[in-house]
Amino acid sequence: MRTFRNRTTVLAAATTAALALTLTACGDNGTGTRSEGSAASDSATVAAESPKAADDAAGTGTTGSTGSGTGTTQAAGATKSAGGSGDSEGTSAKASAPLCTAEGLQITAERQDGPPYTHLTLSAKNTSGAGCEMKEYPHIHFLDNARGIVPPVAKSKPQTPVILEPGQSAYVAVRMSEGGRKESTETVKEFTVTLKANGGGMAVVKSPAPEGLSVNPQKWATGYWTTELRNGADDF
């Protein structure tokens, strides 16, 4: 009887020792078992959260994603805005130049070479001492105002603002007639050029030829102000 009790005691002690070793192993951080238990615990905690909390979590994730998208859009917008700002500064710098006035320009006419002298070139030199902008085309009156101004040729219009620095000139090609022998022309020894678009006043320009210029109101035409005469655009 005593032997049976002793064996029972030994078995109980062995069982207790095995249980203690098992618990010790579960608590050993080195084996990583505890961290797995922690993950399981965390999973259990998440699973135990209410559906509303899960929805809120999902909503937060969605909001974060949308927020991220919005942030990207705003960044792109900021970049565009920055580029636009640079463009605006460039445009503003050009637009900041005052409009040229007849008072600050020296406008002269030169007849182009070769008979029958159907064209002339107007030059407008900036003598104001500061940069200015030449707009559109000159309003030329070869004859009385009732005859109207010389109409512009659209293809000669420049794509960018024409800014004249001090001493720089703008040019315009002007057709006075077609040079035909039977063409009906009138002779003028001076004419007026008005900077109508600029509101910059009027200049009286003398004929470059002592005998005057032969003009035909049915054929005359003018180009737009440019910093140089361009083949093709000013060929009319």
Side-chain angles (χ1 to χ4, degrees):
M1 188 70 174
R2 183 178 301 174
T3 302
F4 177 75
R5 287 180 179 176
N6 289 339
R7 286 179 180 178
T8 302
T9 301
V10 170
L11 288 174
T15 301
T16 301
L19 180 60
L21 288 173
T22 301
L23 293 175
T24 302
C26 291
D28 187 357
N29 291 333
T31 62
T33 305
R34 185 177 181 83
S35 50
E36 291 178 2
S38 175
S41 176
D42 291 343
S43 299
T45 303
V46 172
E49 290 179 353
S50 66
K52 183 177 184 304
D55 290 343
D56 291 344
T60 302
T62 303
T63 303
S65 174
T66 304
S68 174
T70 302
T72 303
T73 302
Q74 288 176 345
T79 303
K80 184 175 182 179
S81 174
S85 175
D87 293 342
S88 295
E89 288 176 2
T91 303
S92 176
K94 291 181 177 179
S96 64
L99 298 179
C100 299
T101 64
E103 184 180 355
L105 297 171
Q106 181 183 358
I107 301 178
T108 57
E110 180 181 355
R111 194 167 57 178
Q112 294 184 7
D113 293 337
Y117 304 113
T118 58
H119 289 67
L120 61 80
T121 299
L122 285 184
S123 300
K125 184 177 181 180
N126 181 2
T127 58
S128 68
C132 64
E133 181 180 358
M134 294 290 284
K135 277 187 172 292
E136 297 190 5
Y137 54 91
H139 286 229
I140 302 171
H141 280 103
F142 276 128
L143 303 172
D144 58 89
N145 291 345
R147 305 291 188 95
I149 64 170
V150 177
V153 176
K155 68 177 182 178
S156 68
K157 184 176 183 179
Q159 299 300 313
T160 57
V162 177
I163 307 297
L164 298 184
E165 298 301 330
Q168 188 178 8
S169 297
Y171 304 95
V172 162
V174 181
R175 183 178 67 201
M176 301 176 292
S177 66
E178 289 189 336
R181 290 187 178 181
K182 296 183 180 180
E183 189 175 5
S184 178
T185 62
E186 298 182 51
T187 302
V188 297
K189 292 192 175 182
E190 66 180 23
F191 56 94
T192 61
V193 174
T194 303
L195 303 180
K196 189 70 173 181
N198 292 19
M202 181 185 71
V204 177
V205 182
K206 293 187 177 299
S207 166
E211 70 277 14
L213 302 171
S214 296
V215 299
N216 181 351
Q218 302 302 317
K219 302 297 182 180
W220 60 30
T222 181
Y224 281 72
W225 291 112
T226 58
T227 52
E228 60 182 3
L229 294 177
R230 303 158 297 166
N231 291 334
D234 301 307
D235 183 16
F236 51 84

